[in-house]
Amino acid sequence: LLFFFLYGGAEVGVAQLTPILFVDGRDIAKSTVSIWVFIFLASFTGGRMIFGTFANRFTTISLMRSTLAIASVSSFLLWLDIGAIFTIIGLILLGVSFAPMFAALISETAQRVSKRHAPNAIGFQIGFAGVGIAALPGLAGILAENIDLEIIGPFLTANITLMFAVYEIILWRERQAPQPVPV
C-alpha cells in the first residue's frame, strides 16, 4: 500500500509540480513548459502501449527494478537543472518508466494475497494511490511555498527513491516468508 501511495504521488506530482518549478522557479516560458508536460504525458501513454505489447517478455521484478532505476535517475535530471535537453530527457524517461509500474504490480496482487482477497487488496491499492495523488503533491507545494520552489526536484527524487526502497523491501519480505512444502 505504501508503494501505491508513493507511486500515485510521484506520477501526478511530476505533471502538477514541474510546471510550477519550471515557470515560477526557473523562468521558463509557459508555452515551452506546456509542451514539456505534454511530452511527459505522451511518453507515459506511449510507454503504456509499448510495455503492454511486450509485457510477457519481462519478469515483473526485472521490469520494476529497471523502471524504478530509470525513474530515479530521471528525477535527478530534473533536480539538477543542467539544461533544457536534460530536462526533456528526464521528463520522457520519467513518463516511460512510470508507464508499466501500476499495472505490473496490480497484475501480481492475486499471487501476493490469494485470489479470494485480490479484489479487496486491489481496492486498497487504488485507494492508497488516490491518497498519494492528493497528499504528496500538496505536501510538495507546502514545502515549496515555505522553503523554495527548488525543493520540488529533491522531493520528487526522494519520493521515487523511496518507492524503489519499498519495492525492494517487498521482495525481501517475500523471500523471507515461509515457502509451502510440496505435497
Side-chain angles (χ1 to χ4, degrees):
L1 297 178
L2 178 58
F3 183 90
F4 283 90
F5 174 81
L6 294 168
Y7 172 82
E11 178 190 311
V12 172
V14 171
Q16 287 183 345
L17 299 170
T18 55
I20 296 164
L21 172 63
F22 297 153
V23 172
D24 296 337
R26 298 182 182 170
D27 294 322
I28 300 170
K30 288 180 184 179
S31 58
T32 301
V33 172
S34 297
I35 293 168
W36 290 2
V37 172
F38 170 78
I39 289 170
F40 164 71
L41 295 171
S43 66
F44 179 81
T45 302
R48 284 243 166 123
M49 290 187 287
I50 292 166
F51 283 112
T53 302
F54 300 107
N56 59 348
R57 296 184 185 187
F58 304 98
T59 66
T60 301
I61 292 172
S62 66
L63 179 67
M64 290 298 296
R65 282 181 169 159
S66 60
T67 56
L68 283 164
I70 292 167
S72 296
V73 171
S74 301
S75 66
F76 197 63
L77 288 175
L78 299 182
W79 177 1
L80 290 178
D81 187 23
I82 53 177
I85 191 68
F86 291 102
T87 300
I88 293 168
I89 290 169
L91 287 170
I92 291 169
L93 292 176
L94 273 170
V96 170
S97 63
F98 284 163
M101 290 182 194
F102 191 85
L105 287 182
I106 289 283
S107 70
E108 290 198 338
T109 300
Q111 296 170 1
R112 287 194 165 92
V113 299
S114 82
K115 287 185 182 193
R116 180 174 161 229
H117 296 294
N120 292 333
I122 291 169
F124 277 105
Q125 291 168 333
I126 292 170
F128 270 74
V131 173
I133 287 168
L136 292 177
L139 175 60
I142 291 168
L143 293 173
E145 186 174 326
N146 290 298
I147 298 171
D148 185 62
L149 283 172
E150 287 296 327
I151 198 71
I152 292 171
F155 184 89
L156 290 171
T157 301
N159 186 9
I160 293 166
T161 303
L162 189 54
M163 283 170 48
F164 205 158
V166 167
Y167 183 71
E168 290 299 322
I169 291 168
I170 291 167
L171 295 178
W172 177 81
R173 287 192 63 196
E174 287 176 350
R175 287 190 302 269
Q176 302 305 311
Q179 299 300 315
V181 177
V183 180

